[in-house]
């Protein structure tokens, strides 16, 4: 029986990667680094800033890494303030989850300032029951720890009762390793890439989410039992 839904944030609740890409491209250009979609998708998307910065600038001390990261995310928030929109179908899906008595939360590698800003901008801050920040768990994605923490925060000890929605390969690996049913959202990576990382099924947005096999199974089970709660 399905009880719990956990969402990634960037690229899953809203298509933020075009904004992140633009900011990264401009900042890296000042270091004579030309960003490409292939490099972004393979080395930046879905990763914690500290981890990816080690690859980009291995000789930088931690304080410089953090300063650069803070600057980058501040630019993102400035540009995203007028551009963020929920992914199509998301708000209706959240309404449906609430009518069914399902619990849901967000699990992200984004910095807390970004995550709280995005949820507030999208009008979701008061609807999200738990917000798990990867760097505040014992390890960030692709480690399973953030998703395991999200399940505990929502009172679910059986990952087989939960679905994870993810747009990055890093997040997909995290959700799969934590034992959730992993669903890929193809805003950032292709269906084939997400399936290779472990997605059981992929969707372009939340307009078609109620057609997913685990959701259909839940509907069939709940037809005679009534809503979860």
């Amino acid at each position: 029986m399905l009880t719990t839904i956990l969402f990634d944030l960037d690229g899953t609740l809203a298509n933020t990667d075009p904004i992140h890409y633009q900011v990264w491209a401009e900042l890296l250009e000042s270091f004579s680094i030309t960003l490409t979609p292939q490099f972004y998708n393979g080395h930046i998307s879905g990763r914690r800033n500290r981890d990816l910065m080690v690859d980009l600038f291995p000789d930088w001390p931690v304080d410089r890494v953090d300063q650069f990261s803070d600057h980058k995310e501040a630019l993102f928030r400035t540009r995203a303030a007028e551009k963020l929109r929920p992914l199509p179908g998301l708000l209706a899906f959240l309404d449906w989850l609430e009518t069914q008595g399902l619990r849901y939360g967000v699990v992200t590698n984004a910095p807390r300032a970004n995550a709280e800003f995005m949820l507030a901008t999208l009008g979701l801050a008061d609807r999200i029951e738990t917000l798990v920040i990867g760097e505040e768990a014992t390890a960030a994605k692709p480690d399973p720890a953030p998703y395991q923490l999200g399940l505990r925060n929502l009172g679910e000890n059986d990952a087989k009762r939960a679905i994870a929605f993810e747009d990055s390969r890093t997040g997909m690996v995290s959700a799969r390793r934590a034992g959730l049913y992993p669903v890929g959202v193809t805003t950032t990576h292709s269906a084939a890439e997400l399936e290779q990382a472990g997605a059981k099924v992929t969707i372009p947005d939340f307009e078609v989410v109620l057609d997913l096999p685990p959701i259909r199974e839940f509907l069939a089970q709940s037809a005679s039992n009534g809503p979860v709660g």
Side-chain angles (χ1 to χ4, degrees), residues 9-198:
L9 183 52
D10 280 293
T12 300
L13 298 189
N15 188 10
T16 54
D17 266 0
I19 306 171
H20 282 295
Y21 185 96
Q22 182 184 39
V23 174
W24 275 112
E26 292 175 7
L27 292 177
L28 292 179
E29 187 177 13
S30 64
F31 296 92
S32 300
I33 299 174
T34 300
L35 187 63
T36 65
Q38 293 76 16
F39 186 88
Y40 179 84
N41 289 338
H43 299 278
I44 294 179
S45 177
R47 299 182 67 195
R48 189 178 68 153
N49 280 353
R50 270 196 179 181
D51 295 335
L52 67 91
M53 290 289 288
V54 169
D55 294 343
L56 291 171
F57 304 107
D59 298 329
W60 280 14
V62 172
D63 59 344
R64 187 177 182 187
V65 167
D66 289 345
Q67 184 179 36
F68 182 96
S69 176
D70 290 345
H71 176 56
K72 182 265 165 183
E73 300 307 342
L75 285 176
F76 164 78
R77 292 192 294 273
T78 297
R79 297 187 184 184
E82 299 299 324
K83 297 180 179 180
L84 282 185
R85 299 291 185 275
L87 215 61
L90 173 66
L91 299 182
F93 182 46
L94 296 184
D95 290 342
W96 180 84
L97 294 179
E98 292 166 8
T99 65
Q100 299 298 322
L102 297 171
R103 303 180 74 177
Y104 62 90
V106 168
V107 177
T108 178
N109 269 356
R112 178 165 288 277
N114 274 22
E116 293 179 346
F117 157 80
M118 286 181 60
L119 292 177
T121 302
L122 294 170
L124 300 178
D126 294 334
R127 301 185 69 171
I128 301 301
E129 189 171 350
T130 186
L131 171 61
V132 174
I133 305 298
E135 64 184 8
E136 296 174 5
T138 56
K141 304 174 189 178
D143 193 276
Y147 274 103
Q148 292 168 340
L149 179 57
L151 290 175
R152 289 197 299 272
N153 288 352
L154 294 179
E156 181 53 73
N157 58 16
D158 185 355
K160 293 180 180 180
R161 296 175 178 264
I163 295 176
F165 289 91
E166 273 283 356
D167 75 301
S168 74
R169 289 175 295 190
T170 302
M172 193 59 60
V173 171
S174 174
R176 176 176 54 79
R177 291 175 64 192
L180 290 80
Y181 186 97
V183 176
V185 183
T186 58
T187 54
T188 307
H189 297 284
S190 68
E193 289 174 308
L194 293 174
E195 288 166 1
Q196 187 177 28

